[in-house]
Amino acid sequence: MDINLIALEDGLIVLSVGFLTVFVFLGILIFAMNVMGNFIKYLNKIFPAAVPAGAAVKKTSASVDEEIAVAIAAALLRQNH
């Protein structure tokens, strides 16, 4: 019986150390990601991205839907004749 309690105690110690290690690592990871995010924001202020002068205007989804409807209607009309 005494051996089982010692094994249980050792298991709980290993479990606690493992959980603590993972918790600390994840805390450091979150801190590092926040620092890097702030650093990238700072770099974006210093070196802004260049916007091309002749950037094409994207079509709206309504015009795309209308084009698809016209294409379907044309295909059905052609199939019926």
Side-chain angles (χ1 to χ4, degrees), residues 68-81:
I68 292 172
V70 169
I72 291 172
L76 288 174
L77 184 67
R78 186 171 188 154
Q79 181 182 9
N80 291 336
H81 285 94

Side-chain angles (χ1 to χ4, degrees), residues 1-72:
M1 184 83 165
D2 191 32
I3 295 175
N4 287 337
L5 290 177
I6 293 173
L8 180 63
E9 183 181 341
D10 289 342
L12 289 175
I13 290 171
V14 169
L15 178 110
S16 300
V17 169
F19 275 142
L20 183 64
T21 303
V22 170
F23 183 75
V24 169
F25 173 75
L26 291 176
I28 292 170
L29 184 66
I30 290 170
F31 175 75
M33 289 175 64
N34 286 329
V35 168
M36 288 298 295
N38 291 334
F39 181 67
I40 296 298
K41 286 179 188 176
Y42 175 72
L43 285 179
N44 283 335
K45 287 180 184 177
I46 295 174
F47 305 109
V51 178
V57 178
K58 292 184 179 180
K59 295 182 180 180
T60 61
S61 63
S63 66
V64 172
D65 289 342
E66 290 171 1
E67 289 178 10
I68 292 172
V70 169
I72 291 172

